[in-house]
Amino acid sequence: VMRMKLIAGLCVLASAPVLAVTLTSGDVEVVVDREATPTARYAGREATNFLSQVLGTAVPVVAEPTAGKAHLFVGDGAAARAAGFDVSTLKRDAFHTRVKGGDIYLLGRDDPKEDPQTFADGNLRFFAERATLFAVYDFLERYAGCRFFFPGEIGTVVPRKAKIDVPDCDRVTAPDSDER
């Protein structure tokens, strides 16, 4: 009598994402174009604020990238356009996250008149576009481990890390519906 043993299983081959950039203390800067929208400038300040907390050292905001540093380009500036980005093709509130040539780009369409700094003043215009800010918050949650449960220090979790590993990616994130 021949006995046959059948082993059924599911084999999932998961490959680790290709590491593209590692952000470490003193080795990263946030780049915001001089002609950036108020939203992109605010998003740059948010990026540097939270990255500084995560890495435990000041992360500067600069207008021009410094050689030898990791760069987080925020907004639709000259560097993003030179890298081939065109935010006019994005849907409302959609944003682009791309790691290209060791640099990280976070951008989307922003209302040139909207200043998110007015959030605290209660003057937020609900229909203004601020996709670059969404890109920064997504990056901080996805890669730095920040969590934004509700506004304020108590509702925000910012972990401390020696480094932030960012895999190679080229992603457009868009809302499921234009009507909200």
Side-chain angles (χ1 to χ4, degrees):
V1 173
M2 187 175 202
R3 292 187 347 180
M4 195 157 142
K5 188 174 181 181
L6 177 63
I7 300 174
L10 176 62
C11 180
V12 177
L13 297 175
S15 62
V18 176
L19 183 62
V21 179
T22 298
L23 307 178
T24 58
S25 174
D27 192 35
V28 61
E29 58 190 14
V30 175
V31 183
V32 179
D33 195 86
R34 284 183 179 87
E35 303 299 319
T37 64
T39 297
R41 287 193 302 271
Y42 180 79
R45 289 191 303 273
E46 288 287 85
T48 192
N49 174 41
F50 287 105
L51 288 175
S52 295
Q53 291 178 57
V54 170
L55 295 172
T57 188
V59 174
V61 176
V62 298
E64 296 292 328
T66 306
K69 299 248 183 189
H71 306 112
L72 187 75
F73 289 96
V74 175
D76 179 31
R81 288 189 295 278
F85 290 98
D86 180 8
V87 296
S88 69
T89 63
L90 296 174
K91 290 174 40 175
R92 178 187 170 81
D93 295 337
F95 56 86
H96 209 130
T97 304
R98 181 188 291 172
V99 177
K100 182 176 182 177
D103 292 324
I104 302 165
Y105 295 87
L106 305 172
L107 63 151
R109 282 191 342 216
D110 299 326
D111 185 328
K113 298 176 198 148
E114 173 70 10
D115 186 355
Q117 189 64 47
T118 60
F119 288 176
D121 302 334
N123 295 325
L124 177 65
R125 294 183 314 136
F126 289 103
F127 299 108
E129 292 181 288
R130 57 185 76 80
T132 297
L133 184 58
F134 301 153
V136 166
Y137 288 140
D138 178 75
F139 176 85
L140 292 168
E141 287 188 335
R142 191 179 299 263
Y143 302 114
C146 296
R147 297 294 178 258
F148 303 97
F149 295 108
F150 52 88
E153 190 175 319
I154 293 175
T156 305
V157 177
V158 183
R160 286 289 305 265
K161 295 181 173 190
K163 64 180 184 163
I164 300 170
D165 292 326
V166 183
D168 191 23
C169 70
D170 185 357
R171 178 180 59 254
V172 172
T173 304
D176 292 332
S177 173
D178 289 337
E179 300 291 326
R180 293 188 280 291

